[in-house]
Amino acid sequence: WSAVGIALVPYSGKGFEDPVQLLLRNGGTSIQMIMYVLSFTAIGTTLIGTYMILGEFFDDVVDQFRVTRMAQNKRSGIHAPPPPPPSASMLAKLSAKLSEPEVVRFGSAVLSSCPPLFLACLGPSLYYMALAFAGAYPLTVVFFITPPLLLVLQRSTLKDERREEKSDLSKRNRGRIRAGIYPGDNVSLYTLSILGAIMIISSLHRDLFPSR
C-alpha cells in the first residue's frame, strides 16, 4: 500500500508531502473511493478485533473474580442469596440481576468500548502520538532486540546441554548448534540487538530534545 501510494504521486522536489492527501486531492473519484474503502476496512477490522479481544479479556477478569468470590464465600459458609420476591424493590431486583451472565457480558462490552471511545474523542493527535511511540519503542524491543537475544540464550542452553550430556544429544540438535538457521554465530545476533538499541536511543533523543 505504501509503495502504491508513493508510486502514484509524482516527485515535486518541495520536500515531504503526504501521498494519501495528494491522492485524495488529485487522484480522481475512482482513486478516492478505493482509498476510502481501504481506510474504512482497515479501521473497521482493527476496531472489531480490538473490541473482541478486550471483551474476552474483561470476561475472563470478571469470571475469575466471581470464581474467587464464590470460593471465599464457600469457605466462609456463605451461601448464594435467594432470588428476590416479586414484591421486592427495584433496587433489590437490579442488584440480583448484576450477577447474571448477560449483565456481566454487557459490563464487559461497556468496559471494552468506553475507554477507546473517550480517547478517540480527544482527537487524532493522540492516536498519532501512540502510533509513533509504539513504532519507536515497544515494536523495536519486541521484534528487533528481543529475538536475537533469545536466540543467543537458546544457543547457549543447547551448548550447555551438549557439554553435560555429550553423546546423548540428538543429531538434529547438534546440527542446530553447529550451523543454525541464522548465520554468523552470536556476533551477528548481538549486532542486531545493538542496532535496535541505537534506534531506541535515537528515538529517545529525538523525543526528549526535538530540533527547533
Side-chain angles (χ1 to χ4, degrees), residues 21-152:
Q21 295 297 330
L22 284 174
L23 289 175
L24 288 175
R25 187 168 62 247
N26 305 323
T29 305
S30 60
I31 296 296
Q32 291 177 2
M33 290 302 300
I34 292 175
M35 294 184 62
Y36 283 133
V37 170
L38 181 62
S39 300
F40 282 114
T41 303
I43 295 173
T45 53
T46 302
L47 289 176
I48 293 173
T50 304
Y51 173 79
M52 294 177 65
I53 292 172
L54 288 177
E56 292 295 330
F57 170 75
F58 286 118
D59 280 345
D60 292 341
V61 171
V62 173
D63 287 341
Q64 185 65 33
F65 174 77
R66 292 177 61 190
V67 170
T68 304
R69 189 173 181 180
M70 290 174 60
Q72 292 176 352
N73 292 339
K74 187 175 181 180
R75 287 195 298 267
S76 303
I78 301 175
H79 301 285
S87 59
S89 63
M90 185 66 66
L91 183 61
K93 293 180 180 180
L94 180 61
S95 62
K97 287 184 178 180
L98 289 178
S99 60
E100 296 181 0
E102 293 80 5
V103 179
V104 173
R105 186 71 179 178
F106 175 76
S108 300
V110 171
L111 291 175
S112 303
S113 305
C114 290
L117 180 61
F118 173 74
L119 294 177
C121 292
L122 298 179
S125 58
L126 182 63
Y127 171 77
Y128 292 135
M129 291 173 57
L131 192 65
F133 176 82
Y137 301 103
L139 290 180
T140 305
V141 172
V142 171
F143 295 107
F144 210 154
I145 297 179
T146 306
L149 296 180
L150 291 178
L151 186 53
V152 170

Side-chain angles (χ1 to χ4, degrees), residues 140-158 182 185-197 200:
T140 305
V141 172
V142 171
F143 295 107
F144 210 154
I145 297 179
T146 306
L149 296 180
L150 291 178
L151 186 53
V152 170
L153 180 62
Q154 183 189 28
R155 288 180 174 180
S156 176
T157 302
L158 291 175
Y182 192 85
D185 201 27
N186 292 340
V187 176
S188 58
L189 298 175
Y190 284 125
T191 303
L192 282 177
S193 297
I194 291 174
L195 290 176
I200 290 182

Side-chain angles (χ1 to χ4, degrees), residues 1-10 19-20 23 31 34-35 38:
W1 166 245
S2 300
V4 171
I6 294 174
L8 291 176
V9 176
V20 176
L23 289 175
I31 296 296
I34 292 175
M35 294 184 62
L38 181 62

